[in-house]
Amino acid sequence: MEKTTPCIAGGGLLAAIAAVLRLVGSAIRFGPFSVSLVLIPIVLGAALYGWGMGCWLGLVFGAVVLLSGDAGLFLAADPGGAIVTVLSKGIACGAAAGLCCRWLHPWYPRLSILLSALAAPLVNTGVFLLGCRLFFMPLIHQWAQQAAMPAPELI
């Protein structure tokens, strides 16, 4: 795909918006969870410019998560696993949003946007859980024991 000036400029603008929303969105919390407003520009960029732009915006999201310290506990336990998990979940959610739009938009334009907006957080969470299963289960079991909770069983 040929990259045009509007595509590059739009991608840069959406990347900046994603970074700011990630940093500001971490202040909005529901219990222990922060709201991930950053998925909005990821889905928008994937819908407008394709799945490659969704991957790029997801990578920006992952990099901001790593640099902001939100993944600090996981980075301390297994730096390689944390980097792989955080970056891959961002890239995968952007790719999923873009591929939903690409495949469904010719027949169902509005449904494609809705499904891509649903696919992004589902894939983001799914890849995070897979990364937890692969890299951090001993740490999660330790946290559960310290909190006097039964050990969680993922997947």
Side-chain angles (χ1 to χ4, degrees), residues 51-64:
W51 67 273
M53 183 62 73
C55 291
W56 164 251
L57 294 170
L59 179 67
V60 169
F61 164 50
V64 172

Side-chain angles (χ1 to χ4, degrees), residues 9 13 21 25 38 41-42 44 68 71 81 84 88 98-99 112-113 120 123 131-132 136 139 147-149 152 154:
L13 182 62
L21 283 178
V38 70
I42 292 174
L44 184 61
S68 70
V84 167
S88 63
L99 291 173
S112 70
I113 300 298
V123 169
C132 284
F136 303 110
L139 179 64
M149 296 174 60
L154 294 176

Side-chain angles (χ1 to χ4, degrees), residues 10-111:
L13 182 62
L14 287 171
I17 291 170
V20 169
L21 283 178
R22 177 63 200 124
L23 295 172
V24 172
S26 64
I28 303 169
R29 296 197 170 274
F30 289 112
F33 302 105
S34 62
V35 177
S36 191
L37 298 173
V38 70
L39 295 179
I40 296 168
I42 292 174
V43 171
L44 184 61
L48 290 174
Y49 302 115
W51 67 273
M53 183 62 73
C55 291
W56 164 251
L57 294 170
L59 179 67
V60 169
F61 164 50
V64 172
V65 168
L66 288 172
L67 294 173
S68 70
D70 286 344
L73 291 174
F74 291 108
L75 279 169
D78 184 356
I83 291 169
V84 167
T85 300
V86 171
L87 293 181
S88 63
K89 75 184 187 77
I91 293 168
C93 81
L99 291 173
C100 279
C101 280
R102 181 178 183 179
W103 291 335
L104 292 173
H105 193 270
W107 300 284
Y108 307 103
R110 290 188 177 133
L111 181 64

